[in-house]
Amino acid sequence: MSTVLILADFVGEKASKSTVEIATAGAVIGEVTALVLAPVGKGAARAATLVHGPIAKAIVVESDDFDKHGVPATADALAQVITKMQPAAVLVVSHAFGKEVAGRVAMKVQSGIITDAVAIAADCTTTQLVFGGSTTVHSKISHGVSIITVRPNTVTADFVTCSPAIETLPLSIAEKSKLATITSSQPPVKGGRPELTEANIVVSGGRGTNGDFTAVENFADSLGAAVGASRAATDAGWYPHSHQVGQTGKTVSPTLYVACGISGAIQHRAGMQTSKTIVVINKDPEAPLFELADFGVVGDLFAVLPPATEGVKARKP
Amino acid sequence: MKIAVCIKQVPDSWAEKKMVGGLLDRANVDAVLNDLDEYAIEEALRIAEAHGGNEEGGANTVTVISMGPERATEAIRKALSMGANDAILISDATLAGADAVLTSQVLASVITKENFDIVICGTESTDARMSVVPAMISEKLDWAQLTFASKVEVDPSTQKVSITRVTEAGVEEIFAVFPVVISVVEKINEPRYPSFKGIMAAKKKTIDIRNCASTGVQVAAAWSTVIDSAPRPPRAAGVVITDDGGAGQKLVDFLIEKKLI
Ligand SMILES: Cc1cc2nc3c(=O)[nH]c(=O)nc-3n(C[C@H](O)[C@H](O)[C@H](O)COP(=O)(O)OP(=O)(O)OC[C@H]3O[C@@H](n4cnc5c(N)ncnc54)[C@H](O)[C@@H]3O)c2cc1C
Ligand SMILES: Nc1ncnc2c1ncn2[C@@H]1O[C@H](COP(=O)(O)O)[C@@H](O)[C@H]1O
């Protein structure tokens, strides 16, 4: 049976939902081995959080270079493991970090690379949604190992319990992967809400909130949703940049996306138009985002959201 | 300092895009300078201006590098009219349909030949949307990678470059010394509009058009192949209602009907 190597993704010290998703996607191709990279002394604890998903084995590599040198050091370790293991495919989460790692690895091991896959078949054929989700493309890597990044929230994660066999692998990171040094690093400020790219429901606010996100947050909380924002809102400092949805923010494809006071600029659409159901609330009936709406309300978000919030809460037992 | 900026000409974001034979049909859509690359040009100019400028014979030069069809000279002219000094365009029929690996190899080989200190890219091209080329160039060159920068500080005397990296994983401070590959996010600056003087001056600037053979990169078949592509069915038209005081409840009813709550 062929093997598939996944680069385990951690949020804080815990394996993320995206890790379960890439494991699920990988299990279709072969037996999944997860590569766990961690600072010295933290590998076992991180590997122990691989409890869900079809993961057969975990390889733990410990080095302080990962936190100190970021993408290049990570790519160096991943490439070394690929050369040793010769897997059929390598799956990485499609976020900024994951894509850069995959890109460097493709260059190192001289393989093709496919980014932002939303599905992968047993023969490594991938499905991508391009041009803002208007076109479906099937592609395949025709040279080397299949290096594929998988967009979060598109593969339905199989949460089977697992207890992978753990192997510790000593590796040293090449000097040329240590040319840039990270001197400080701050994780995004976390509230009690779900992570934007992992959430099933996202409620976003734009310039129409006029800086007051209370109604948007209350509605999000009634739904257990993550909160997103347009660039107009993040630029104005009304909401943290890490919540920006769009071309230069995050790409989300939740089951439900609710846009409140957002006009629908092409750059915003680029980050949300593959959402399964889209709800738009906007005062202006001409707002372009209505083109994408499954359910649109022409109205004031401050008038529409509070009764909707009460209505959702009333449904809860 | 010798600074290079990698720019790409892309189809206009609003244009309807089609695939023809596994490739984006670039011929029949309006083409523009990738908007994120404008921030890269602006940052290069600001770095040059902060350390003695890039006037002729001055302390710094800003060179634009692009790989693409001859038509990409339009995007290059825009970069030149913003204030870049000169440009190199790698244009060759064999490069049509190049994937990220080949693109990065070609760009890296051009960069190697010119002794640059700093290469600046955008973080993403609006057509490919891969966000991998800057990292791949840095890998190929064995230069330091300073990507997703929302702030760049350069000290030419120590050759030290410090950036603030902003991604979904948070904020990092990173430094390295020349030579470095930087990519910039759109928060970094506000790109200038070309002035009339800049537009006139750009007409006299040289665009050095080279073929692929000059780069020494062997073009093999692309390493990732499109099997097929199809337009997705358009989203079914939705319902749009006007709020008469009851829209909040109607929204809840819709969510119930769709089994979303
Ligand atoms: C290189 C580049 C990258 C970009 N990247 C992104 C990105 O990643 N994400 C992104 O979002 N944008 C991005 N943008 C910006 C984008 O072009 C738009 O400017 C932005 O999305 C607009 O945000 P908005 O819809 O909130 O504001 P506006 O376009 O001003 O729209 C506000 C809307 O709110 C409505 N409204 C006002 N008051 C109310 C009310 N009380 N109730 C209901 N509706 C109300 C108005 O009718 C209007 O339609 C980018 C731009 C560039 C050039
Ligand atoms: N053909 C090209 N010519 C020059 N620069 C490019 C080209 N393709 C990509 N780039 C650079 O790489 C960045 C990221 O592109 P991408 O990885 O395709 O999303 C762009 O913003 C450009 O700076």
Side-chain angles (χ1 to χ4, degrees), chain A residues 71-72 94-97 99-100 103-104 106-108 110-116 125 129-131 133-143 176 179-188 201 219 223 231 234-235 241 244 246-248 250-251 255-256 264-267 269-271 273-279 281 290 292-300 303-304 307-308 311-312 315, chain B residues 13-14 17-19 24 34-36 39 99-101 104-105 123-132 134-140 142-148 165-177 183 185-187 189-190 221-233 235-243 245 247-252 254-256 258 260-261:
Chain A
V71 171
S94 220
H95 40 41
F97 182 85
K99 290 210 258 188
E100 291 197 321
R104 292 188 76 107
M107 202 54 118
K108 278 177 196 286
Q110 294 284 290
S111 288
I113 171 173
I114 288 174
T115 56
D116 285 311
T125 299
L129 301 178
V130 302
F131 311 149
S134 67
T135 304
T136 307
V137 173
H138 293 114
S139 358
K140 210 172 160 173
I141 287 167
S142 39
H143 189 277
K176 63 183 178 122
L179 298 171
T181 305
I182 301 170
T183 51
S184 92
S185 137
Q186 287 166 323
I201 304 181
F219 189 53
L223 293 163
R231 180 175 166 200
T234 57
D235 267 1
H241 175 57
Q244 182 174 315
Q247 185 200 318
T248 48
K250 289 182 183 171
T251 302
T255 319
L256 172 65
I266 193 96
Q267 296 93 347
R269 291 178 181 219
Q273 57 195 343
T274 53
S275 306
K276 280 168 205 90
T277 300
I278 297 174
V279 170
I281 305 168
F290 279 120
L292 295 184
D294 296 291
F295 189 83
V297 177
V298 178
D300 187 335
V304 178
V312 173
R315 286 273 302 172
Chain B
S13 302
W14 281 106
K17 288 166 222 161
K18 288 201 184 70
M19 301 281 283
L24 170 61
N34 181 33
D35 53 14
L36 276 158
Y39 298 81
D99 57 8
V101 181
S104 308
Q105 279 172 340
T123 31
E124 178 176 286
S125 56
T126 53
D127 56 348
R129 297 207 64 196
M130 291 184 75
S131 287
V132 294
M136 290 172 81
I137 295 175
S138 126
E139 169 67 39
K140 182 74 193 166
D142 283 336
W143 288 15
Q145 172 186 325
L146 298 173
T147 48
F148 286 83
R165 172 181 168 97
V166 182
T167 66
E168 57 270 81
V171 181
E172 291 172 332
E173 302 297 329
I174 314 182
F175 77 88
V177 292
S183 80
V185 301
E186 102 293 353
K187 297 251 179 285
N189 58 39
E190 199 49 64
W223 288 355
S224 51
T225 332
V226 172
I227 299 165
D228 60 45
S229 68
R232 295 177 83 210
R235 289 189 87 93
V239 189
V240 177
I241 61 166
T242 301
D243 185 27
Q249 187 52 48
K250 287 198 186 112
L251 170 55
V252 176
F254 170 81
L255 297 179
I256 294 169
K258 289 279 171 186
L260 290 163
I261 51 173

Side-chain angles (χ1 to χ4, degrees), chain B residues 34-151:
Chain B
N34 181 33
D35 53 14
L36 276 158
D37 297 347
E38 291 189 27
Y39 298 81
I41 300 160
E42 177 66 33
E43 198 57 25
L45 295 171
R46 288 190 189 191
I47 293 169
E49 284 157 4
H51 300 285
N54 65 327
E55 306 300 323
E56 263 211 58
N60 310 290
T61 53
V62 175
T63 300
V64 170
I65 301 177
S66 187
M67 183 187 109
E70 291 238 359
R71 186 183 172 198
T73 47
E74 295 159 26
I76 292 174
R77 285 285 170 214
K78 176 156 188 196
L80 293 175
S81 56
M82 285 172 74
N85 298 73
D86 50 19
I88 301 168
L89 170 65
I90 305 93
S91 194
D92 198 307
T94 59
L95 292 171
D99 57 8
V101 181
L102 181 55
T103 303
S104 308
Q105 279 172 340
V106 168
L107 294 173
S109 97
V110 173
I111 292 164
T112 319
K113 294 200 173 86
E114 312 283 332
N115 264 325
F116 291 110
D117 301 301
I118 301 177
V119 170
I120 310 184
C121 297
T123 31
E124 178 176 286
S125 56
T126 53
D127 56 348
R129 297 207 64 196
M130 291 184 75
S131 287
V132 294
V133 168
M136 290 172 81
I137 295 175
S138 126
E139 169 67 39
K140 182 74 193 166
L141 293 168
D142 283 336
W143 288 15
Q145 172 186 325
L146 298 173
T147 48
F148 286 83
S150 65
K151 191 173 166 209

